Amino acid sequence: MTVRRVLLLLLLWMWLPHPCCTEMFFRRTPELRPRSFVGRTSGSDGKALHRQKRGWMWNQFFLLEEYTGSDYQYVGKLHSDQDKGDGSLKYILSGDGAGTLFIIDEKTGDIHATRRIDREEKAFYTLRAQAINRRTLRPVEPESEFVIKIHDINDNEPTFPEEIYTASVPEMSVVGTSVVQVTATDADDPSYGNSARIIYSILQGQPYFSVEPETGIIRTALPNMNRENREQYQVVIQAKDMGGQMGGLSGTTTVNITLTDVNDNPPRFPQNTIHLRIPESSPVGTAIGSVKATDADTGKNAEVEYRIIDGDGTDMFDIMTQKDTQEGIITVRKPLDYETRRLYTLKVEAENTHVDPRFYYLGPFKDTAIVKISVEDVDEPPVFSRSSYLFEVHEDIELGTIIGTVMARDPDSASSPIRFSLDRHTDLDRIFNIHSGNGSIYTSKPLDREISQWHNLSVIAAEINNPKDTTRVPVYVRILDVNDNAPQFAVFYDTFVCENARAGQLIQTISAVDKDDPLGGQKFFFSLAAVNPNFTVQDNEDNTARILTRRNGFSRHEISTYLLPVVISDNDYPIQSSTGTLTIRVCACDSRGNMQSCNAEALLLPAGLSTGALIAILLCILILLVIVVLFAALKRQRKKEPLILSKEDIRDNIVSYNDEGGGEEDTQAFDIGTLRNPAAIEDKKLRRDIIPETLFVPRRTPSAPDNTDVRDFINQRLKEHDTDPSAPPYDSLATYAYEGNDSIAESLSSLESGTTEGDQNYDYLREWGPRFNKLAEMYGGGESDKDAS
């Protein structure tokens, strides 16, 4: 039956007219024939007006997409009823794709598509056609518009917007729980056939998940899927067009599904009994150890709260939950003592903090474990009977008096004896000492409350068998007051009495202070040491007193100053008193009692110097001091004695040494024989007393003839070296201009000689001794030579 139906459908399709090869002839119908309408016009010509309707009828053209033939694809035919077949009409096509995608035969009106068309790019094309006369080029029909629609074929497979989807679903979900929806799209025409009708199916992921064929919703297919067994699933979904029938195109996508955690597992301790140890010396708050219950869940579903619910150490230990590690940290709550108790037992419970009511049926979400804590014995330091001590003592006690005793014991079972000592950093003055055996503290120096009212000591207790293990305790010593200080004037009083004072006039109010601090407060009494005819003291009974005059009138010329002894005493036991003396000056006052002058000699002295005079005197003194300083500075700066005493003594490139030459025995200095023998310069000899920095090749100059005057020779050499930029400085001539201080000879410089050598007489050189014989021969011989010539 199926084969027959397919054959019948195929035959019917073949006999039906196909849109792509239908020729459409547009003929003139009776309703569309040209009609003439006759009417009257407003003019007097009486002509009739005619309106002619168009002579062709249009319908839509249809064209299949994705044509694969080698020839142009035939679209349809345009024909006018005025076309007689004689080629007098010309068909023109314009609009979308005219001339490029669609072409028309000008004579026959056949329309063809030049290339393959994709409906997904454009579903229809709007064109305009017109028939014109070839000779006159006038339209025989008005331009009309028509549409070419592209029929769709199934040439696009369904596609998903994402290649990989990520979804999650809670574990233990019921069957049919929605996970995620995937949707594919098909570019084919949904209004034509089943090309865009998509059906979804699952290729991978069964039997855990399923998909709805029409909507693409993925749902769970198995009950109670447990994340702890498997957490990740990969599902492959296929989308197929043509309603999922054979021959349809398909596309796939991958969905990664994760099972999220729910609290379906209770915490469990890996061990029923846990053993911990701790030294008895551990302070309060010390962490002993940790316990941990494991939970297969994650995140907040695995959060656990620990608590101690029973045991004999509930008051000795605490437990707190470490949030980041989910551990229970057991800490010391009270001090431990090995000698008192050595073993404690605790019952610890771990319970989930977030419980899901849906899974109550899985059992209680908590667990318990027994924790046994063993206390280890250690050599503990001594323990004082108190955490601190306070002793009070009067400041007048005798040396060596015991002010108090500290007590300590060894908490260990051995009960070793204790040795006490004072930390001297807390008693730098060594005022106290302690008995090392019984801990009695006694004084070693006198106490004074006025110097220090409190002493803060630190007592060290150590076992004799283990001196390194020590304990400290603070000891506070308060010094109680004893009335051992007499009161004194509170301040220094500058008291004066006016010459015109009357009897009973107040001249001063005094007060007193006392270093002591009696319990009842300070109370002072004031009185005179002896009866005074000039002044008296009146006690105000409020720790102050008034000084009053006893007579009228005082004269500073007779007595300028009065001394008034005042006795100040306190009321504590034993009574302490002191005598303070007031110095009372007699001063001149105005009518209001304001002091003007207290100096008796001021009346006898003339008027003092004005301020301007004082400033002038100070300026004069300052100027004199500046002159003295400048004179001393100039005197220290000594001006050096010039080497050239005469203004006419001008030298060029001559170095003067203010010392005596070596004479003929000086063979290391300049060879004077060169002056007499200029040819010797050609031997390239260097100075032997100075090391040259750079050696230069000396220039050869024509030698001077023998018996040339020495002055001319020197001038010639100086001129050459002055004009020679390469001449080193050590070739300058060194002469000794002066003899030493002890020499009887005067200056030997020829520059101080006369203008001519004839004026010079060198015979006196022979009288100076053997050192000057060579010099005498040189100058004496020169004279002989000159005379001979």
Side-chain angles (χ1 to χ4, degrees):
M1 293 297 294
T2 305
V3 175
R4 290 180 180 179
R5 290 180 179 178
V6 172
L7 292 175
L8 289 174
L9 292 173
L10 181 61
L11 289 174
L12 289 174
W13 181 81
M14 292 176 63
W15 284 104
L16 289 174
H18 202 279
C20 66
C21 51
T22 299
E23 293 184 359
M24 303 189 70
F25 296 93
F26 299 90
R27 303 182 184 275
R28 195 177 289 276
T29 60
E31 292 78 7
L32 300 178
R33 290 186 179 275
R35 296 179 181 180
S36 299
F37 294 88
V38 180
R40 302 278 183 184
T41 63
S42 59
S44 61
D45 53 0
K47 293 182 179 179
L49 299 177
H50 299 276
R51 181 173 66 86
Q52 186 175 4
K53 304 180 78 174
R54 66 181 182 179
W56 51 356
M57 182 181 67
W58 294 96
N59 288 323
Q60 293 182 344
F61 289 96
F62 296 92
L63 186 65
L64 283 177
E65 66 170 336
E66 304 294 344
Y67 174 71
T68 58
S70 59
D71 297 332
Y72 288 166
Q73 186 178 4
Y74 182 75
V75 178
K77 184 180 183 64
L78 299 179
H79 185 76
S80 174
D81 55 359
Q82 297 186 14
D83 188 358
K84 306 301 182 178
D86 55 358
S88 61
L89 296 183
K90 178 180 179 181
Y91 295 95
I92 299 174
L93 188 66
S94 62
D96 294 342
T100 56
L101 178 59
F102 301 103
I103 58 176
I104 189 171
D105 191 331
E106 296 179 351
K107 296 180 179 181
T108 62
D110 294 331
I111 301 174
H112 291 82
T114 60
R115 60 179 176 84
R116 186 169 58 180
I117 299 176
D118 188 0
R119 190 201 67 84
E120 286 71 36
E121 293 181 1
K122 192 168 184 178
F124 64 91
Y125 296 85
T126 302
L127 295 98
R128 293 179 299 279
Q130 190 176 29
I132 62 175
N133 190 293
R134 286 183 178 271
R135 299 185 189 93
T136 63
L137 298 179
R138 294 181 178 180
V140 298
E141 298 286 352
E143 187 181 50
S144 299
E145 187 177 84
F146 66 97
V147 176
I148 299 177
K149 285 190 175 181
I150 309 301
H151 272 186
D152 182 51
I153 64 173
N154 189 19
D155 60 342
N156 292 280
E157 70 277 1
T159 59
F160 291 92
E162 301 289 341
E163 294 182 1
I164 298 178
Y165 289 85
T166 301
S168 62
V169 62
E171 63 173 332
M172 308 298 290
S173 297
V174 297
V175 176
T177 302
S178 175
V179 180
V180 69
Q181 182 179 13
V182 294
T183 304
T185 58
D186 197 321
D188 294 324
D189 188 2
S191 63
Y192 182 77
N194 294 327
S195 299
R197 183 187 173 192
I198 299 174
I199 298 297
Y200 299 93
S201 61
I202 185 168
L203 301 181
Q204 177 183 331
Q206 295 175 332
Y208 307 103
F209 299 94
S210 62
V211 63
E212 293 183 358
E214 299 292 339
T215 61
I217 298 176
I218 302 174
R219 300 182 182 274
T220 58
L222 284 181
N224 300 328
M225 286 191 293
N226 197 342
R227 184 196 65 84
E228 288 72 33
N229 295 334
R230 183 178 177 182
E231 185 176 4
Q232 299 289 338
Y233 294 88
Q234 190 175 73
V235 179
V236 178
I237 302 298
Q238 175 184 265
K240 190 173 184 180
D241 59 10
M242 298 298 294
Q245 297 178 3
M246 183 179 298
L249 304 178
S250 64
T252 60
T253 187
T254 301
V255 182
N256 293 325
I257 301 176
T258 303
L259 295 183
T260 58
D261 184 59
V262 297
N263 192 6
D264 59 340
N265 295 280
R268 291 288 181 263
F269 282 104
Q271 299 175 354
N272 294 329
T273 303
I274 302 171
H275 295 274
L276 299 175
R277 295 179 177 274
I278 184 171
E280 62 172 335
S281 59
S282 300
V284 174
T286 301
I288 303 173
S290 62
V291 295
K292 185 174 183 179
T294 59
D295 195 324
D297 298 322
T298 60
K300 68 176 184 178
N301 297 319
E303 292 182 0
V304 179
E305 187 72 27
Y306 297 91
R307 65 177 65 90
I308 300 174
I309 60 175
D310 197 5
D312 54 8
T314 55
D315 60 337
M316 299 296 296
F317 302 95
D318 281 332
I319 189 170
M320 62 179 182
T321 303
Q322 192 81 16
K323 295 298 182 180
D324 53 348
T325 61
Q326 291 298 309
E327 294 180 338
I329 309 299
I330 300 176
T331 59
V332 179
R333 186 176 181 181
K334 292 183 180 180
L336 303 175
D337 188 5
Y338 174 81
E339 288 73 25
T340 303
R341 192 180 185 90
R342 303 182 182 182
L343 181 64
Y344 295 90
T345 302
L346 304 176
K347 188 176 183 180
V348 178
E349 180 185 73
E351 183 179 9
N352 280 136
T353 56
H354 300 88
V355 180
D356 194 339
R358 295 178 299 171
F359 304 104
Y360 278 152
Y361 68 91
L362 296 178
F365 285 82
K366 57 184 176 180
D367 194 15
T368 58
I370 301 299
V371 179
K372 294 185 177 181
I373 302 175
S374 300
V375 180
E376 297 178 345
D377 186 28
V378 296
D379 190 5
E380 298 177 88
V383 177
F384 284 94
S385 60
R386 300 180 188 175
S387 59
S388 62
Y389 293 87
L390 173 61
F391 300 137
E392 293 183 346
V393 59
H394 288 87
E395 60 179 329
D396 61 346
I397 61 173
E398 298 180 357
L399 297 181
T401 302
I402 296 176
I403 63 173
T405 302
V406 296
M407 292 182 294
R409 64 177 182 86
D410 183 9
D412 297 325
S413 57
S415 187
S416 301
I418 306 300
R419 182 185 299 276
F420 299 93
S421 62
L422 277 176
D423 186 357
R424 289 304 176 185
H425 292 90
T426 61
D427 185 27
L428 297 175
D429 296 332
R430 296 183 176 270
I431 299 175
F432 302 95
N433 211 336
I434 188 171
H435 194 281
S436 60
N438 56 22
S440 299
I441 302 175
Y442 57 92
T443 59
S444 58
K445 288 184 179 181
L447 303 177
D448 191 352
R449 190 200 66 85
E450 287 70 36
I451 297 177
S452 179
Q453 187 176 357
W454 286 91
H455 295 273
N456 300 326
L457 307 178
S458 179
V459 177
I460 304 172
E463 297 180 10
I464 295 179
N465 298 331
N466 187 13
K468 296 182 179 179
D469 206 354
T470 61
T471 304
R472 295 172 177 264
V473 68
V475 177
Y476 307 104
V477 182
R478 180 182 180 184
I479 310 301
L480 301 179
D481 184 46
V482 175
N483 192 22
D484 56 349
N485 291 280
Q488 298 176 351
F489 282 129
V491 295
F492 173 77
Y493 295 100
D494 185 11
T495 306
F496 69 92
V497 61
C498 295
E499 290 182 316
N500 55 359
R502 297 182 180 182
Q505 184 176 343
L506 174 65
I507 62 173
Q508 185 69 59
T509 299
I510 60 175
S511 62
V513 293
D514 195 338
K515 295 181 181 179
D516 295 324
D517 187 15
L519 297 178
Q522 301 281 3
K523 182 63 178 177
F524 303 122
F525 302 96
F526 301 89
S527 62
L528 292 179
V531 178
N532 191 294
N534 301 311
F535 305 97
T536 184
V537 175
Q538 183 179 351
D539 196 338
N540 296 327
E541 297 183 358
D542 59 353
N543 293 337
T544 63
R546 296 187 299 170
I547 307 298
L548 305 175
T549 59
R550 297 189 65 179
R551 65 183 180 87
N552 296 328
F554 294 88
S555 176
R556 52 178 169 166
H557 301 292
E558 297 177 359
I559 300 177
S560 62
T561 303
Y562 292 92
L563 299 179
L564 181 64
V566 179
V567 178
I568 310 173
S569 59
D570 55 24
N571 66 337
D572 204 358
Y573 179 81
I575 296 176
Q576 300 288 340
S577 63
S578 65
T579 301
T581 301
L582 284 176
T583 301
I584 303 174
R585 296 181 298 163
V586 180
C587 301
C589 302
D590 57 12
S591 59
R592 297 181 180 180
N594 297 322
M595 180 182 64
Q596 292 183 342
S597 175
C598 294
N599 190 0
E601 290 75 9
L603 299 175
L604 303 177
L605 293 176
L609 295 176
S610 64
T611 304
L614 292 176
I615 294 176
I617 294 173
L618 292 177
L619 289 176
C620 292
I621 295 174
L622 182 62
I623 293 172
L624 290 176
L625 289 176
V626 172
I627 293 174
V628 172
V629 171
L630 292 176
F631 180 76
L634 292 175
K635 188 175 181 181
R636 290 184 179 180
Q637 186 179 1
R638 295 180 178 179
K639 187 175 181 181
K640 295 183 179 180
E641 182 181 357
L643 295 177
I644 303 176
L645 299 178
S646 175
K647 294 183 180 180
E648 299 179 355
D649 190 3
I650 301 174
R651 308 177 186 183
D652 190 12
N653 292 334
I654 298 177
V655 180
S656 300
Y657 296 90
N658 195 15
D659 55 355
E660 183 178 357
E664 61 183 5
E665 296 180 0
D666 185 4
T667 59
Q668 300 298 324
F670 188 83
D671 189 5
I672 196 64
T674 307
L675 297 176
R676 306 298 297 175
N677 186 14
I681 193 65
E682 305 299 333
D683 295 338
K684 300 180 183 180
K685 293 182 180 181
L686 301 177
R687 290 188 59 175
R688 292 171 290 174
D689 58 334
I690 298 177
I691 299 176
E693 296 181 357
T694 307
L695 296 178
F696 296 91
V697 178
R699 294 188 308 164
R700 291 185 176 271
T701 56
S703 59
D706 294 338
N707 299 327
T708 302
D709 186 70
V710 175
R711 184 184 301 273
D712 297 335
F713 173 77
I714 292 176
N715 292 333
Q716 180 183 358
R717 289 301 187 203
L718 287 175
K719 184 176 181 181
E720 290 176 358
H721 283 281
D722 289 339
T723 57
D724 185 8
S726 62
Y730 50 82
D731 280 344
S732 60
L733 180 62
T735 62
Y736 297 92
Y738 299 97
E739 287 290 336
N741 294 331
D742 296 334
S743 175
I744 61 175
E746 295 179 356
S747 174
L748 301 181
S749 174
S750 60
L751 298 179
E752 294 182 355
S753 302
T755 56
T756 60
E757 291 203 22
D759 300 334
Q760 299 291 332
N761 185 9
Y762 300 101
D763 294 336
Y764 59 89
L765 296 177
R766 302 181 183 275
E767 301 175 1
W768 287 358
R771 293 179 177 270
F772 298 92
N773 290 338
K774 188 172 183 179
L775 189 60
E777 292 176 359
M778 291 175 59
Y779 284 89
E783 293 288 345
S784 301
D785 295 339
K786 187 179 294 185
D787 297 336
S789 61

